[in-house]
Amino acid sequence: MPLSLSLESRTLEELRKFSDTFVETGTHLGGGVQSALEAGFEVIMSCELDPALFKAARYLVELNPVGREKVRLFLGDSATLLPEMLRMCGKPSVVFLDAHREEAEGITPSFPLELEFRALLSAPRRDHMILVDDVDLCGKPQMAGVTLDDIKGRLMQIFPLYKFSRLWGARHESLLVADPR
């Protein structure tokens, strides 16, 4: 069973038909990376802001001989790293936007989606397949003031021909898929 409950390898197997490159913001413990490996992606890039989570994910990748060859992990802010990661791709990719800070003592939860959208707007290519996680939180305190229509509108600014669909994960989190085909 993959470590990621919101992005399962069987979901990614279908999306891999679009591209063999997977880019993720918000590595967390590496569940999305593991699912991408299981789905057969050839190039996998993921960034994580939290050094402890980054270290844990890197450890899991290093345990996997295939992962060591196919995965590149980045430590830092997704809004800063995403443009570099997309430039490295050089072709349409499956891009999973899942960066956020969990609510913890003294830390306000945050979702850097707007900054990631700006990064996508400045990318050399705009025809990536975009997966936006946690859209079921639109309008809730974690994403106050952000609606699903707002997210779709921002994605249409990136690539006006996107077609949208929704996928539901095992934890009842929803993914918005923006498909350029």
Side-chain angles (χ1 to χ4, degrees):
M1 182 172 103
L3 297 173
S4 173
L5 295 177
S6 63
L7 191 61
E8 299 168 351
S9 57
R10 69 175 179 263
T11 300
L12 283 177
E13 285 173 11
E14 186 63 30
L15 300 176
R16 190 179 58 80
K17 294 175 186 174
F18 175 78
S19 175
D20 67 354
T21 301
F22 178 79
V23 177
E24 174 188 46
T25 64
T27 310
H28 198 248
L29 294 172
V33 168
Q34 180 63 36
S35 293
L37 282 168
E38 291 173 6
F41 281 88
E42 293 298 318
V43 176
I44 301 164
M45 291 182 261
S46 184
C47 63
E48 176 56 52
L49 181 64
D50 183 297
L53 292 173
F54 173 82
K55 185 177 179 181
R58 186 177 64 201
Y59 176 76
L60 290 175
V61 166
E62 289 173 358
L63 288 177
N64 183 334
V66 175
R68 286 193 301 263
E69 297 296 318
K70 296 182 177 185
V71 177
R72 181 145 182 217
L73 299 178
F74 298 81
L75 175 62
D77 183 76
S78 63
T80 303
L81 292 171
L82 187 56
E84 175 187 347
M85 293 163 63
L86 293 173
R87 272 191 298 280
M88 292 172 68
C89 294
K91 62 182 179 180
S93 304
V94 175
V95 179
F96 181 41
L97 302 180
D98 189 28
H100 54 87
R101 277 189 170 245
E102 300 290 338
E103 185 171 1
E105 188 174 326
I107 297 176
T108 303
S110 65
F111 287 79
L113 266 181
E114 180 57 35
L115 298 173
E116 292 173 342
F117 289 152
R118 289 181 196 167
L120 286 162
L121 271 168
S122 69
R125 300 192 69 106
R126 293 189 181 184
D127 55 348
H128 302 286
M129 179 178 288
I130 309 292
L131 311 176
V132 182
D133 199 16
D134 302 316
V135 295
D136 58 319
L137 297 177
C138 288
K140 295 184 179 171
Q142 299 95 320
M143 291 179 74
V146 178
T147 68
L148 185 58
D149 286 338
D150 293 336
I151 292 172
K152 288 180 179 180
R154 290 297 280 142
L155 288 166
M156 293 299 279
Q157 290 174 349
I158 295 165
F159 190 77
L161 301 176
Y162 274 132
K163 296 174 188 80
F164 297 102
S165 61
R166 297 272 297 270
L167 299 174
W168 292 88
R171 292 187 302 174
H172 307 290
E173 298 170 312
S174 61
L175 295 169
L176 176 67
V177 178
D179 190 334
R181 297 175 289 182

